[in-house]
Amino acid sequence: MHLQTHSLSPDPAGFARAAAIWRAGGLVAFPTETVYGLGADARNDLAVARIFEAKGRPRFNPLIVHVASAEAARACVEWSHDAEILASAFWPGPLTLVLPLRAGAGLSPLVTAELPTLAIRVPAHPVAQGLLAAFGGPVAAPSANPSGRISPTTAAHVLAGLEGRIDAVVDGGACPVGVESTIVGLADQPVLLRPGGLPAEALEAALRAPLARHGAEDPLSAPGQMQSHYAPGARVRLNATGRREGEVMLGFGAVGGDLNLSAAGDLTEAAANLFGYLHALDAKGAAGIAVAPIPEVGLGRAINDRLRRAAAEKE
């Protein structure tokens, strides 16, 4: 099915139009502080199924539900002491919590991929907050890109991948964080399921305890855990100190390139630039993208996680 994809303004009129599309079972992409999400009414089976169809996303890969407040989240999941600590410290913000699904929450089972847990977060972006307020309900929203490809950090990225497959995109400019939310599982002991826009060190400081880590051999329990993900069309080579024939170069710090994630070696700047620069380099049509080494600390863990998945063999 080919749709006319409308561009909506990030104002009350645009919010009202987006909310009306969601109520009618449609798909609207919108900015969060991390990346653009592809939203649908999380209570509507057909609408949620359309997310999977538009993205070409495997049905066993669960979705994150976005809500306006911690109070709204508590209506969807079984709350815990650790959830209260992390929500109080970091919501609204780039943190997703995975908690047991509350009986009678009314969400489509497609959202959880039939798992007993739900991934949920409260975004901080003012456009996302305006849309959630206008809609008044939970919105399922994975990243607004074809499954497995580079995540979108601008409305133009969304349209490049999904125009004709979705009803609308709300253009709220570039996403300031630039990598997806950190995901923490709280169904048992706190476990880092996916590094992201909130460093693990900050979470461990709030909990006053170390986070367990999700292993590559562990079963899929949250979005963003597939081995091959966030990938450009070109092959990706990591920890490169220079380009090879047929490659373009993504630099960092003193290692230069066609584009440099952060010449100053600032990991926050690098995270914000990551997906946008991968989009730009992939558009050059080179056979490969060489990527400079990124320190495995703080936000560097999230950047390296995305780069390793981008470089993995396609599943």
Side-chain angles (χ1 to χ4, degrees):
M1 180 173 62
H2 185 84
L3 301 170
Q4 182 179 359
T5 302
H6 299 276
S7 183
L8 304 180
S9 55
D11 57 26
F15 299 162
R17 176 63 182 141
I21 292 171
W22 280 335
R23 292 188 192 104
L27 303 182
V28 179
F30 63 98
T32 75
E33 66 275 22
T34 56
V35 301
Y36 272 70
L38 178 57
D41 185 346
R43 302 160 298 194
N44 183 324
D45 288 333
L46 183 57
V48 175
R50 288 189 63 210
I51 291 177
F52 288 92
E53 180 184 14
K55 284 177 60 69
R57 183 184 179 96
R59 293 292 178 93
F60 58 77
N61 196 1
L63 306 178
I64 295 175
V65 166
H66 294 64
V67 292
S69 65
E71 180 181 6
R74 286 192 288 268
C76 297
V77 292
E78 298 290 346
W79 208 239
S80 69
H81 177 65
D82 287 337
E84 186 63 32
I85 290 172
L86 294 180
S88 296
F90 302 113
W91 275 0
L95 172 66
T96 294
L97 301 179
V98 177
L99 290 152
L101 180 66
R102 182 177 290 278
L107 303 182
S108 168
L110 291 172
V111 169
T112 61
E114 303 289 351
L115 293 171
T117 54
L118 175 69
I120 195 163
R121 87 174 181 104
V122 179
H125 198 292
V127 172
Q129 279 287 325
L131 288 163
L132 289 167
F135 180 58
V139 172
S143 56
N145 57 299
S147 186
R149 301 304 299 270
I150 309 169
S151 296
T153 55
T154 67
H157 295 159
V158 175
L159 292 171
L162 296 178
E163 187 166 17
R165 301 190 200 178
I166 66 176
D167 297 281
V169 57
V170 180
D171 190 347
C175 300
V177 174
V179 293
E180 292 84 355
S181 60
T182 301
I183 303 181
V184 175
L186 295 177
D188 193 4
Q189 65 171 327
V191 56
L192 181 67
L193 297 176
R194 180 182 73 182
L198 183 64
E201 293 90 338
L203 296 161
E204 292 173 330
L207 292 170
R208 300 185 180 181
L211 289 166
R213 295 302 198 266
H214 182 272
E217 71 285 353
D218 293 335
L220 190 75
S221 57
Q225 293 180 327
M226 296 181 69
Q227 181 179 357
S228 176
H229 208 44
Y230 316 113
R235 68 177 183 273
V236 176
R237 183 170 64 89
L238 305 180
N239 298 312
T241 55
R243 65 170 63 79
R244 295 173 180 168
E245 185 177 354
E247 290 182 333
V248 289
M249 182 79 192
L250 181 60
F252 176 79
V255 179
D258 297 88
L259 293 171
N260 194 314
L261 289 170
S262 173
D266 184 317
L267 290 170
T268 300
E269 181 184 17
N273 287 332
L274 177 62
F275 289 137
Y277 284 8
L278 285 175
H279 276 286
L281 291 177
D282 200 33
K284 291 180 178 291
I289 300 173
V291 184
I294 308 294
E296 189 73 18
V297 296
L299 284 177
R301 292 193 179 95
I303 295 169
N304 282 322
D305 172 78
R306 303 312 188 271
L307 288 170
R308 283 189 290 268
R309 295 176 196 276
E313 292 294 324
K314 306 295 188 292
E315 297 177 347

